[in-house]
Amino acid sequence: MLPHNTMVVVADGHSATIYRNTAKNGIELSQTDQVTPASLTKPSQMAIPDEAAPNDENDEAAFAVDLTYHLNTLMLQQGMDDVAIIADPSTLGVMRKHYHKELQLRLRKEIAKTMTNSDIPSIQAALQ
């Protein structure tokens, strides 16, 4: 079971939706943010060489890096207590390489599954 106020991130290589668990007991998610490549700062531009030919795979990896840095910043600046991440396997693999140690300490659950187009009840069921 996820603690109250856990930040739940549902991501793929193109976008992410951030939810909060508002239930005192159990899981009841409410959406708090929608993240797209355009809405993030771009630390990945330093991580991926300029010579790399732009393609979907690089764009997806870049978004995963940028999203992870965004989550690290939220964790450090807003003092989040708990986080759960649901992402497709390749995005999750990239994200794991960039977790800050504080994010790692507060990570309550990781699920390697594509759920960005899923409804809230399906996401809640996956987190049970």
Side-chain angles (χ1 to χ4, degrees), residues 36-94:
T36 64
S39 69
L40 294 173
T41 54
K42 306 281 187 247
S44 66
Q45 289 177 345
M46 297 174 282
I48 297 175
D50 290 337
E51 313 81 68
N55 62 38
D56 285 345
E57 195 171 301
N58 282 347
D59 290 346
E60 290 180 10
F63 177 72
V65 170
D66 296 339
L67 175 62
T68 307
Y69 279 101
H70 177 70
L71 297 176
N72 290 338
T73 301
L74 286 176
M75 195 62 54
L76 295 168
Q77 291 178 355
Q78 297 181 13
M80 307 284 173
D81 288 331
D82 303 288
V83 66
I85 297 175
I86 302 173
D88 66 272
S90 62
T91 299
L92 189 57
V94 172

Side-chain angles (χ1 to χ4, degrees), residues 83-125:
V83 66
I85 297 175
I86 302 173
D88 66 272
S90 62
T91 299
L92 189 57
V94 172
M95 290 177 73
R96 283 181 179 144
K97 296 175 188 172
H98 299 279
Y99 287 167
H100 186 278
K101 68 179 181 178
E102 285 299 317
L103 191 146
Q104 288 177 332
L105 289 172
R106 295 166 184 358
L107 189 61
R108 300 294 168 249
K109 187 170 275 203
E110 276 185 326
I111 300 173
K113 189 173 184 180
T114 303
M115 296 197 76
T116 47
N117 294 322
S118 299
D119 59 9
I120 288 176
S122 299
I123 296 166
Q124 290 174 172

